[in-house]
Amino acid sequence: MEKVGTDLAKNVETASAPEDDNIRTFDVVIEAKAKTAGTARNEVTIHSLFSDTYWDMPTDEGPYHGGESSAPPPLAYFVTGVVACLMTQIRAFSKRLKVPVDGVEVDARFHWQGEQVGRNPSAGRPQKIDLDIDIQSDCSAEDLTRLIKAAKEGCFAEQSIELAFPIGHRLKVGDDWVEV
């Protein structure tokens, strides 16, 4: 896997950049190291190169998949990431767009459908994501709509879904990596 560096000083500078028309870019890179730790449990360590922070985030499945429900399933982290990312951007962009916000509540529904033929492995199919956003603010619906549109654009998780960027998979075979 290619290593991508991130300049933390540049990220701090960009986050607090003065209001001007200059274009700034910054990398947000998050790496994960994961290993199996039971029938369906995984031990995952996350490293944000953006902030040089680490977190342990175990996952487990319920009994249906042979797990013990000892930790949230992977899809729960996925849903949490999308919802929390959007909420963070709403609050961050409220300051930049001068749209005061007292609070944000989101009710989310992520719907997938599994498809299986006989005893073959199942295939996951995304169906729909609905996000109901309640922003406590005295601002107009027009300003709040503008804020949500900006937050959607700035939410890396939501953009990853909307833009459907490719995911590379490689398998370690001996000392080599093979594209799958």
Side-chain angles (χ1 to χ4, degrees):
M1 184 178 303
E2 178 186 349
K3 292 290 182 185
V4 178
T6 298
D7 182 348
L8 295 178
K10 177 182 171 187
N11 292 338
V12 171
E13 175 187 315
T14 301
S16 60
E19 294 184 23
D20 59 32
D21 291 334
N22 293 332
I23 295 174
R24 294 172 184 79
T25 61
F26 56 96
D27 295 315
V28 176
V29 180
I30 298 175
E31 298 177 337
K33 291 246 184 232
K35 62 181 178 180
T36 56
T39 56
R41 186 176 171 95
N42 301 298
E43 299 295 336
V44 184
T45 299
I46 300 296
H47 178 209
S48 169
L49 275 64
F50 185 77
S51 63
D52 195 28
T53 308
Y54 291 83
W55 300 276
D56 289 324
M57 298 176 67
T59 70
D60 198 359
E61 295 285 355
Y64 175 81
H65 286 297
E68 299 174 7
S69 296
S70 65
L75 282 177
Y77 283 115
F78 179 80
V79 170
T80 299
V82 173
V83 171
C85 182
L86 181 66
M87 292 175 74
T88 298
Q89 298 300 46
I90 288 171
R91 287 177 295 186
F93 292 164
S94 73
K95 295 175 185 87
R96 291 185 186 186
L97 297 175
K98 296 179 176 40
V99 179
V101 168
D102 296 320
V104 180
E105 295 180 19
V106 175
D107 288 331
R109 180 179 172 90
F110 286 61
H111 177 189
W112 292 270
Q113 186 174 69
E115 181 179 295
Q116 183 176 11
V117 177
R119 301 271 311 143
N120 292 325
S122 62
R125 304 283 184 249
Q127 298 298 302
K128 188 175 183 191
I129 298 172
D130 290 311
L131 303 175
D132 292 334
I133 306 163
D134 181 7
I135 300 176
Q136 291 82 52
S137 174
D138 292 330
C139 291
S140 68
E142 195 173 85
D143 282 342
L144 296 175
T145 298
R146 183 171 54 95
L147 173 59
I148 291 171
K149 286 181 178 179
K152 286 173 47 176
E153 280 289 313
C155 175
F156 289 97
E158 188 165 332
Q159 289 302 305
S160 296
I161 296 167
E162 280 201 13
L163 300 178
F165 67 94
I167 300 174
H169 294 82
R170 299 184 310 166
L171 172 66
K172 189 170 186 178
V173 179
D175 292 335
D176 296 323
W177 291 98
V178 178
E179 298 288 333
V180 177

